Amino acid sequence: MKKIIITGGAGFIGSHVVRRFVTKYPQYQIYNLDALTYAGNLENLRDVENFPNYTFIKADITDADKMYEIISEIDPDGVIHLAAESHVDRSINDPLAFVKTNVIGTVNLLNACRDIWKGRYDETLFYHISTDEVYGTLGESGLFTETTPYDPNSPYSASKAASDHFVRAYGETYGMNYIITNCSNNYGPFQFPEKLIPLFINNIIANKPLPVYGDGLYTRDWLYVIDHAMAIDLVYHKGAKHETYNIGGFNEWKNIDLVRLLCRLMDKKLGRPEGTADKLITFVKDRPGHDRRYAIDATKINTELGWKPSVTFETGLSETIDWYLENTEWLKNVTSGAYQKYYEEMYKNR
Ligand SMILES: Cc1cn([C@H]2C[C@H](O)[C@@H](COP(=O)(O)OP(=O)(O)O[C@H]3O[C@H](CO)[C@@H](O)[C@H](O)[C@H]3O)O2)c(=O)[nH]c1=O
Protein backbone atom coordinates (compact mmCIF):
# COMPACT_ATOMS: atom_id res chain seq x y z
CA MET A 1 0.00 0.00 0.00
CA LYS A 2 1.35 3.41 -0.97
CA LYS A 3 1.65 5.93 1.85
CA ILE A 4 1.36 9.67 1.24
CA ILE A 5 1.70 12.48 3.75
CA ILE A 6 -0.28 15.60 2.84
CA THR A 7 0.77 18.59 4.92
CA GLY A 8 -1.78 21.32 5.56
CA GLY A 9 -4.58 18.90 4.74
CA ALA A 10 -7.05 20.62 7.06
CA GLY A 11 -6.66 23.93 5.25
CA PHE A 12 -8.58 25.21 2.27
CA ILE A 13 -6.73 23.72 -0.72
CA GLY A 14 -5.28 20.88 1.38
CA SER A 15 -8.70 19.60 2.42
CA HIS A 16 -9.78 19.33 -1.22
CA VAL A 17 -6.60 17.43 -2.04
CA VAL A 18 -7.05 15.07 0.93
CA ARG A 19 -10.69 14.43 -0.02
CA ARG A 20 -9.72 13.64 -3.60
CA PHE A 21 -6.90 11.24 -2.69
CA VAL A 22 -8.80 9.47 0.11
CA THR A 23 -11.92 8.87 -1.98
CA LYS A 24 -10.24 8.16 -5.31
CA TYR A 25 -7.37 5.98 -4.12
CA PRO A 26 -8.55 3.44 -1.51
CA GLN A 27 -5.27 1.62 -2.18
CA TYR A 28 -3.30 4.58 -0.70
CA GLN A 29 -2.96 5.36 2.99
CA ILE A 30 -3.32 9.13 3.33
CA TYR A 31 -1.84 10.93 6.34
CA ASN A 32 -3.08 14.46 6.87
CA LEU A 33 -0.41 16.33 8.84
CA ASP A 34 -1.73 19.67 10.05
CA ALA A 35 -1.02 22.06 12.93
CA LEU A 36 -4.66 23.27 12.98
CA THR A 37 -3.82 26.97 13.04
CA TYR A 38 -6.64 29.48 12.55
CA ALA A 39 -6.95 28.44 8.88
CA GLY A 40 -7.02 24.68 9.44
CA ASN A 41 -10.28 23.08 10.44
CA LEU A 42 -11.18 19.41 10.77
CA GLU A 43 -14.77 20.36 9.96
CA ASN A 44 -13.48 20.65 6.38
CA LEU A 45 -12.98 16.87 6.30
CA ARG A 46 -15.98 15.45 8.21
CA ASP A 47 -17.08 13.47 5.15
CA VAL A 48 -13.84 11.49 4.92
CA GLU A 49 -12.65 11.28 8.53
CA ASN A 50 -13.92 7.72 8.99
CA PHE A 51 -12.43 6.32 5.80
CA PRO A 52 -10.06 3.44 6.67
CA ASN A 53 -7.31 4.89 4.46
CA TYR A 54 -7.32 8.28 6.25
CA THR A 55 -5.28 9.26 9.30
CA PHE A 56 -5.01 12.69 10.89
CA ILE A 57 -1.84 13.76 12.68
CA LYS A 58 -1.76 17.04 14.56
CA ALA A 59 1.77 18.38 14.22
CA ASP A 60 3.57 21.58 13.31
CA ILE A 61 6.12 21.54 10.49
CA THR A 62 8.23 24.09 12.39
CA ASP A 63 9.07 21.30 14.87
CA ALA A 64 12.08 19.61 13.23
CA ASP A 65 12.32 16.68 15.67
CA LYS A 66 8.63 15.92 15.36
CA MET A 67 8.86 15.94 11.56
CA TYR A 68 11.78 13.54 11.70
CA GLU A 69 9.92 11.26 14.08
CA ILE A 70 6.67 11.22 12.06
CA ILE A 71 8.33 10.78 8.67
CA SER A 72 10.61 7.99 9.87
CA GLU A 73 7.69 6.21 11.52
CA ILE A 74 5.39 6.41 8.49
CA ASP A 75 8.15 6.12 5.91
CA PRO A 76 5.93 7.56 3.15
CA ASP A 77 6.34 7.09 -0.59
CA GLY A 78 5.46 10.72 -1.16
CA VAL A 79 4.92 14.04 0.57
CA ILE A 80 2.53 16.59 -0.89
CA HIS A 81 3.43 19.79 0.91
CA LEU A 82 0.66 22.38 1.21
CA ALA A 83 1.10 23.57 4.80
CA ALA A 84 1.81 27.29 4.68
CA GLU A 85 0.91 30.69 5.99
CA SER A 86 -0.87 32.08 2.95
CA HIS A 87 -2.45 35.47 3.54
CA VAL A 88 -0.53 38.44 2.14
CA ASP A 89 -2.02 41.00 4.58
CA ARG A 90 -1.02 38.86 7.56
CA SER A 91 2.52 38.58 6.16
CA ILE A 92 2.79 42.37 6.10
CA ASN A 93 1.91 42.49 9.81
CA ASP A 94 4.04 39.50 10.88
CA PRO A 95 6.72 38.45 8.34
CA LEU A 96 8.58 36.18 10.74
CA ALA A 97 5.61 33.84 11.14
CA PHE A 98 5.85 33.30 7.38
CA VAL A 99 9.59 32.63 7.49
CA LYS A 100 9.05 30.10 10.27
CA THR A 101 6.29 28.08 8.64
CA ASN A 102 6.99 28.53 4.95
CA VAL A 103 10.78 28.49 4.93
CA ILE A 104 11.93 26.68 8.08
CA GLY A 105 8.93 24.34 8.02
CA THR A 106 9.71 23.33 4.43
CA VAL A 107 13.40 22.81 5.20
CA ASN A 108 12.47 20.65 8.21
CA LEU A 109 10.40 18.40 5.95
CA LEU A 110 13.13 18.31 3.31
CA ASN A 111 15.79 17.36 5.86
CA ALA A 112 13.70 14.52 7.22
CA CYS A 113 12.84 13.21 3.74
CA ARG A 114 16.42 13.54 2.55
CA ASP A 115 17.69 11.35 5.41
CA ILE A 116 14.85 8.85 5.58
CA TRP A 117 14.59 8.35 1.81
CA LYS A 118 18.35 8.05 1.32
CA GLY A 119 19.23 5.30 -1.16
CA ARG A 120 15.76 5.27 -2.74
CA TYR A 121 15.13 8.79 -3.97
CA ASP A 122 13.93 7.34 -7.29
CA GLU A 123 10.95 5.67 -5.61
CA THR A 124 9.87 8.74 -3.65
CA LEU A 125 8.58 12.23 -4.38
CA PHE A 126 8.56 15.55 -2.56
CA TYR A 127 5.79 17.54 -4.23
CA HIS A 128 5.80 21.20 -3.21
CA ILE A 129 2.70 23.33 -3.75
CA SER A 130 3.47 26.97 -4.39
CA THR A 131 2.07 30.18 -5.78
CA ASP A 132 2.28 32.39 -8.87
CA GLU A 133 3.12 35.29 -6.53
CA VAL A 134 6.78 34.22 -6.56
CA TYR A 135 7.02 35.81 -10.03
CA GLY A 136 6.11 39.27 -8.77
CA THR A 137 3.82 41.48 -10.81
CA LEU A 138 2.90 41.91 -14.48
CA GLY A 139 2.05 45.01 -16.48
CA GLU A 140 -0.99 45.25 -18.75
CA SER A 141 0.15 42.33 -20.91
CA GLY A 142 2.19 39.12 -20.66
CA LEU A 143 1.86 35.92 -18.67
CA PHE A 144 3.96 34.11 -16.08
CA THR A 145 5.63 31.03 -17.54
CA GLU A 146 7.75 28.42 -15.75
CA THR A 147 10.89 30.33 -16.81
CA THR A 148 9.79 33.77 -15.60
CA PRO A 149 12.43 34.96 -13.08
CA TYR A 150 11.38 35.00 -9.44
CA ASP A 151 10.70 38.55 -8.23
CA PRO A 152 8.53 38.35 -5.07
CA ASN A 153 7.15 41.57 -3.58
CA SER A 154 5.47 40.65 -0.29
CA PRO A 155 6.87 38.88 2.77
CA TYR A 156 4.44 36.06 1.92
CA SER A 157 5.65 35.63 -1.65
CA ALA A 158 9.30 36.04 -0.57
CA SER A 159 8.83 33.19 1.90
CA LYS A 160 7.19 30.98 -0.74
CA ALA A 161 9.95 31.84 -3.24
CA ALA A 162 12.57 30.87 -0.64
CA SER A 163 10.82 27.57 0.00
CA ASP A 164 10.67 26.83 -3.75
CA HIS A 165 14.42 27.48 -3.98
CA PHE A 166 15.12 25.11 -1.10
CA VAL A 167 13.11 22.33 -2.72
CA ARG A 168 14.96 22.78 -6.00
CA ALA A 169 18.30 22.98 -4.19
CA TYR A 170 17.65 19.69 -2.37
CA GLY A 171 16.90 18.12 -5.73
CA GLU A 172 20.16 19.37 -7.20
CA THR A 173 22.38 18.89 -4.15
CA TYR A 174 21.14 15.61 -2.73
CA GLY A 175 19.38 14.17 -5.77
CA MET A 176 15.92 14.03 -4.19
CA ASN A 177 12.96 13.73 -6.54
CA TYR A 178 10.78 16.81 -6.42
CA ILE A 179 8.09 18.63 -8.38
CA ILE A 180 6.90 22.20 -7.78
CA THR A 181 3.62 23.67 -8.99
CA ASN A 182 2.84 27.39 -8.90
CA CYS A 183 -0.86 28.17 -8.95
CA SER A 184 -2.97 31.28 -9.34
CA ASN A 185 -5.74 32.50 -6.98
CA ASN A 186 -8.06 29.74 -5.80
CA TYR A 187 -11.69 30.07 -4.71
CA GLY A 188 -14.33 27.60 -3.60
CA PRO A 189 -15.89 25.92 -0.54
CA PHE A 190 -14.00 25.90 2.80
CA GLN A 191 -11.86 28.98 2.08
CA PHE A 192 -11.22 31.01 5.21
CA PRO A 193 -13.06 34.36 4.97
CA GLU A 194 -9.98 36.57 4.96
CA LYS A 195 -9.40 36.10 1.22
CA LEU A 196 -11.30 38.32 -1.21
CA ILE A 197 -14.13 36.03 -2.36
CA PRO A 198 -15.19 34.37 0.93
CA LEU A 199 -14.65 37.62 2.88
CA PHE A 200 -16.93 39.52 0.54
CA ILE A 201 -19.57 36.74 0.50
CA ASN A 202 -19.52 36.79 4.30
CA ASN A 203 -19.79 40.59 4.42
CA ILE A 204 -22.64 40.71 1.90
CA ILE A 205 -24.59 38.19 3.98
CA ALA A 206 -23.94 40.32 7.09
CA ASN A 207 -24.53 43.66 5.30
CA LYS A 208 -21.00 44.80 6.16
CA PRO A 209 -18.77 47.06 3.98
CA LEU A 210 -16.78 45.45 1.15
CA PRO A 211 -13.25 46.91 1.47
CA VAL A 212 -11.83 47.19 -2.07
CA TYR A 213 -8.13 48.05 -1.88
CA GLY A 214 -6.83 51.08 -3.82
CA ASP A 215 -8.50 51.75 -7.17
CA GLY A 216 -9.83 48.18 -7.46
CA LEU A 217 -8.13 47.74 -10.83
CA TYR A 218 -5.77 45.01 -9.64
CA THR A 219 -6.04 41.82 -11.70
CA ARG A 220 -6.04 38.20 -10.55
CA ASP A 221 -6.41 34.89 -12.42
CA TRP A 222 -9.04 32.77 -10.62
CA LEU A 223 -9.20 28.97 -10.48
CA TYR A 224 -11.81 26.74 -8.83
CA VAL A 225 -10.13 24.86 -5.98
CA ILE A 226 -11.44 21.49 -7.17
CA ASP A 227 -9.70 22.04 -10.51
CA HIS A 228 -6.51 22.75 -8.58
CA ALA A 229 -6.92 19.51 -6.61
CA MET A 230 -7.41 17.63 -9.89
CA ALA A 231 -4.22 19.21 -11.26
CA ILE A 232 -2.29 18.20 -8.13
CA ASP A 233 -3.52 14.61 -8.50
CA LEU A 234 -2.41 14.56 -12.13
CA VAL A 235 0.99 16.12 -11.46
CA TYR A 236 1.65 13.77 -8.52
CA HIS A 237 1.06 10.75 -10.75
CA LYS A 238 2.22 11.91 -14.17
CA GLY A 239 4.45 14.95 -13.65
CA ALA A 240 8.11 14.80 -14.67
CA LYS A 241 10.53 14.80 -11.74
CA HIS A 242 12.66 17.91 -11.15
CA GLU A 243 10.09 19.97 -13.08
CA THR A 244 7.91 22.97 -12.36
CA TYR A 245 4.37 23.43 -13.68
CA ASN A 246 2.26 26.57 -13.62
CA ILE A 247 -1.46 26.06 -12.90
CA GLY A 248 -4.04 28.72 -13.73
CA GLY A 249 -7.48 29.28 -15.11
CA PHE A 250 -6.80 31.61 -18.06
CA ASN A 251 -9.45 33.59 -16.20
CA GLU A 252 -8.38 37.15 -15.44
CA TRP A 253 -10.61 39.55 -13.55
CA LYS A 254 -10.07 43.08 -12.32
CA ASN A 255 -11.04 43.07 -8.63
CA ILE A 256 -13.80 45.63 -9.03
CA ASP A 257 -15.43 43.72 -11.90
CA LEU A 258 -15.30 40.51 -9.88
CA VAL A 259 -16.78 42.25 -6.84
CA ARG A 260 -19.62 43.70 -8.93
CA LEU A 261 -20.36 40.24 -10.39
CA LEU A 262 -20.36 38.78 -6.88
CA CYS A 263 -22.72 41.51 -5.68
CA ARG A 264 -25.14 40.83 -8.55
CA LEU A 265 -25.16 37.06 -7.94
CA MET A 266 -25.55 37.48 -4.19
CA ASP A 267 -28.49 39.92 -4.52
CA LYS A 268 -30.22 37.40 -6.74
CA LYS A 269 -29.55 34.41 -4.49
CA LEU A 270 -30.52 36.31 -1.34
CA GLY A 271 -33.70 37.67 -2.96
CA ARG A 272 -32.58 41.26 -2.37
CA PRO A 273 -33.28 44.10 -4.85
CA GLU A 274 -30.59 44.50 -7.52
CA GLY A 275 -27.95 47.03 -6.43
CA THR A 276 -28.24 46.26 -2.69
CA ALA A 277 -24.81 44.65 -2.30
CA ASP A 278 -23.20 47.21 -4.62
CA LYS A 279 -23.89 49.89 -2.02
CA LEU A 280 -21.57 48.05 0.40
CA ILE A 281 -18.54 48.60 -1.87
CA THR A 282 -16.07 50.83 -0.06
CA PHE A 283 -12.73 51.87 -1.56
CA VAL A 284 -10.09 51.72 1.18
CA LYS A 285 -6.39 52.43 1.56
CA ASP A 286 -4.28 50.15 -0.63
CA ARG A 287 -2.31 47.09 0.49
CA PRO A 288 1.40 48.08 0.64
CA GLY A 289 3.45 46.51 -2.18
CA HIS A 290 0.22 45.41 -3.87
CA ASP A 291 0.99 43.38 -7.02
CA ARG A 292 -0.88 44.91 -9.95
CA ARG A 293 -1.56 41.87 -12.07
CA TYR A 294 -1.06 38.11 -12.00
CA ALA A 295 -1.76 35.89 -15.00
CA ILE A 296 -0.59 32.35 -15.52
CA ASP A 297 0.42 30.66 -18.74
CA ALA A 298 -0.76 27.10 -18.08
CA THR A 299 0.29 25.79 -21.50
CA LYS A 300 2.90 23.37 -20.14
CA ILE A 301 0.55 21.42 -17.85
CA ASN A 302 -2.11 21.60 -20.55
CA THR A 303 0.00 20.22 -23.39
CA GLU A 304 2.27 17.85 -21.44
CA LEU A 305 -0.24 16.43 -18.96
CA GLY A 306 -3.58 17.24 -20.58
CA TRP A 307 -4.96 19.29 -17.67
CA LYS A 308 -7.44 22.10 -18.09
CA PRO A 309 -10.03 23.64 -15.78
CA SER A 310 -13.29 21.68 -15.74
CA VAL A 311 -15.72 24.42 -14.75
CA THR A 312 -16.34 27.95 -15.98
CA PHE A 313 -15.86 30.82 -13.55
CA GLU A 314 -19.59 31.58 -13.55
CA THR A 315 -20.42 27.98 -12.54
CA GLY A 316 -17.63 27.75 -9.95
CA LEU A 317 -18.54 31.09 -8.40
CA SER A 318 -22.23 30.26 -8.28
CA GLU A 319 -21.49 26.87 -6.63
CA THR A 320 -19.18 28.61 -4.17
CA ILE A 321 -21.80 31.17 -3.15
CA ASP A 322 -24.39 28.39 -2.75
CA TRP A 323 -21.98 26.46 -0.55
CA TYR A 324 -21.44 29.45 1.77
CA LEU A 325 -25.18 30.14 1.92
CA GLU A 326 -25.84 26.50 2.82
CA ASN A 327 -23.02 26.32 5.37
CA THR A 328 -23.72 29.34 7.53
CA GLU A 329 -22.85 27.26 10.61
CA TRP A 330 -19.31 26.67 9.25
CA LEU A 331 -19.01 30.37 8.47
CA LYS A 332 -20.26 31.29 11.94
CA ASN A 333 -17.80 28.92 13.62
CA VAL A 334 -14.73 30.13 11.74
CA THR A 335 -15.65 33.80 12.13
CA SER A 336 -16.33 33.68 15.85
CA GLY A 337 -13.87 34.72 18.54
CA ALA A 338 -10.43 35.65 17.25
CA TYR A 339 -11.66 36.35 13.73
CA GLN A 340 -13.58 39.47 14.76
CA LYS A 341 -10.50 40.87 16.52
CA TYR A 342 -8.33 40.05 13.51
CA TYR A 343 -10.79 41.65 11.14
CA GLU A 344 -10.97 44.88 13.13
CA GLU A 345 -7.19 44.98 13.53
CA MET A 346 -6.60 44.37 9.81
CA TYR A 347 -8.98 47.03 8.60
CA LYS A 348 -8.59 49.72 11.24
CA ASN A 349 -6.10 51.68 9.12
CA ARG A 350 -7.84 51.19 5.83
C1 LIG B 1 -8.81 40.53 1.24
C2 LIG B 1 -8.96 41.63 0.22
C3 LIG B 1 -8.28 41.57 -0.99
N1 LIG B 1 -8.42 42.58 -1.89
C4 LIG B 1 -7.68 42.46 -3.17
C5 LIG B 1 -6.20 42.19 -3.03
C6 LIG B 1 -5.90 41.36 -4.28
O1 LIG B 1 -5.67 42.22 -5.38
C7 LIG B 1 -7.18 40.57 -4.52
C8 LIG B 1 -7.16 39.17 -3.95
O2 LIG B 1 -6.70 39.27 -2.62
P1 LIG B 1 -6.48 37.98 -1.70
O3 LIG B 1 -7.75 37.20 -1.69
O4 LIG B 1 -5.94 38.44 -0.41
O5 LIG B 1 -5.44 37.13 -2.54
P2 LIG B 1 -3.97 37.50 -3.14
O6 LIG B 1 -3.31 38.54 -2.35
O7 LIG B 1 -4.12 37.74 -4.59
O8 LIG B 1 -3.24 36.12 -2.86
C9 LIG B 1 -3.91 34.86 -3.00
O9 LIG B 1 -3.55 34.22 -4.20
C10 LIG B 1 -2.24 33.71 -4.27
C11 LIG B 1 -2.06 33.10 -5.63
O10 LIG B 1 -2.00 34.14 -6.58
C12 LIG B 1 -1.99 32.74 -3.13
O11 LIG B 1 -0.67 32.31 -3.17
C13 LIG B 1 -2.26 33.42 -1.80
O12 LIG B 1 -2.09 32.52 -0.75
C14 LIG B 1 -3.66 33.97 -1.80
O13 LIG B 1 -3.87 34.68 -0.60
O14 LIG B 1 -8.21 41.32 -3.87
C15 LIG B 1 -9.25 43.67 -1.67
O15 LIG B 1 -9.39 44.57 -2.53
N2 LIG B 1 -9.91 43.73 -0.47
C16 LIG B 1 -9.80 42.76 0.49
O16 LIG B 1 -10.41 42.89 1.57
Side-chain angles (χ1 to χ4, degrees):
M1 193 174 208
K2 270 203 183 333
K3 291 174 283 182
I4 301 174
I5 294 180
I6 299 179
T7 72
F12 165 50
I13 302 173
S15 64
H16 287 277
V17 176
V18 166
R19 178 174 298 100
R20 184 169 179 87
F21 275 71
V22 168
T23 55
K24 192 174 163 203
Y25 301 109
Q27 71 276 28
Y28 294 176
Q29 190 64 38
I30 302 299
Y31 298 86
N32 169 15
L33 191 159
D34 198 294
L36 297 183
T37 64
Y38 78 96
N41 187 350
L42 289 178
E43 285 298 318
N44 300 359
L45 289 163
R46 282 285 170 246
D47 53 332
V48 296
E49 68 184 3
N50 293 323
F51 276 55
N53 64 334
Y54 171 74
T55 308
F56 171 66
I57 302 166
K58 184 173 183 323
D60 191 333
I61 58 170
T62 61
D63 184 340
D65 293 342
K66 193 83 195 156
M67 287 310 106
Y68 207 94
E69 188 188 308
I70 292 169
I71 293 172
S72 54
E73 201 172 297
I74 295 172
D75 196 10
D77 302 277
V79 170
I80 306 179
H81 177 36
L82 294 110
E85 289 292 338
S86 70
H87 193 49
V88 175
D89 294 318
R90 284 183 192 257
S91 82
I92 295 166
N93 290 358
D94 185 8
L96 204 52
F98 285 67
V99 175
K100 284 183 186 149
T101 299
N102 299 355
V103 186
I104 297 173
T106 301
V107 175
N108 285 340
L109 290 170
L110 286 167
N111 280 342
C113 290
R114 177 200 57 199
D115 294 354
I116 291 151
W117 288 342
K118 202 165 182 176
R120 54 191 187 90
Y121 289 148
D122 281 352
E123 300 152 30
T124 55
L125 176 63
F126 192 95
Y127 178 6
H128 181 59
I129 310 298
S130 192
T131 170
D132 60 357
E133 297 201 12
V134 297
Y135 299 122
T137 189
L138 290 163
E140 284 295 305
S141 62
L143 298 169
F144 296 133
T145 72
E146 286 79 1
T147 55
T148 302
Y150 276 31
D151 193 16
N153 289 317
S154 72
Y156 161 67
S157 51
S159 71
K160 287 300 286 184
S163 67
D164 291 10
H165 290 320
F166 271 102
V167 173
R168 209 183 307 259
Y170 273 56
E172 293 308 311
T173 305
Y174 306 107
M176 287 171 67
N177 263 345
Y178 74 88
I179 301 180
I180 300 171
T181 48
N182 297 84
C183 190
S184 62
N185 286 61
N186 280 213
Y187 69 95
F190 299 114
Q191 189 171 28
F192 190 80
E194 62 185 352
K195 306 278 161 62
L196 182 75
I197 290 180
L199 174 70
F200 280 30
I201 291 175
N202 190 30
N203 285 11
I204 292 171
I205 296 172
N207 266 310
K208 288 209 301 215
L210 307 176
V212 174
Y213 297 167
D215 61 8
L217 299 177
Y218 294 84
T219 301
R220 295 293 182 267
D221 171 1
W222 293 93
L223 180 69
Y224 197 37
V225 64
I226 292 169
D227 279 326
H228 188 190
M230 284 161 73
I232 290 172
D233 177 0
L234 188 67
V235 169
Y236 183 81
H237 291 97
K238 301 258 162 52
K241 308 300 178 301
H242 293 225
E243 283 288 339
T244 293
Y245 297 89
N246 282 350
I247 306 172
F250 285 114
N251 177 42
E252 287 184 50
W253 284 79
K254 288 202 168 33
N255 290 343
I256 191 64
D257 296 335
L258 167 55
V259 170
R260 294 225 156 92
L261 170 66
L262 197 59
C263 287
R264 226 177 31 247
L265 290 171
M266 290 288 291
D267 280 345
K268 214 188 255 167
K269 287 181 193 279
L270 287 165
R272 294 175 181 168
E274 206 180 316
T276 308
D278 248 58
K279 296 200 186 86
L280 300 171
I281 295 174
T282 314
F283 288 91
V284 297
K285 196 167 147 211
D286 213 346
R287 171 188 277 175
H290 198 170
D291 286 330
R292 193 63 168 168
R293 175 172 165 257
Y294 303 145
I296 279 275
D297 182 350
T299 306
K300 181 175 173 186
I301 188 170
N302 177 255
T303 55
E304 292 183 13
L305 303 181
W307 175 88
K308 63 174 175 13
S310 69
V311 294
T312 63
F313 189 50
E314 286 68 16
T315 306
L317 195 58
S318 173
E319 276 181 23
T320 302
I321 296 170
D322 290 344
W323 185 86
Y324 281 96
L325 291 176
E326 280 158 21
N327 289 276
T328 44
E329 205 49 38
W330 181 93
L331 206 50
K332 208 168 96 202
N333 287 344
V334 300
T335 55
S336 61
Y339 175 83
Q340 195 51 35
K341 197 163 160 282
Y342 156 76
Y343 185 83
E344 280 158 17
E345 195 58 29
M346 193 62 76
Y347 293 102
K348 76 175 180 222
N349 297 323
R350 289 226 164 100

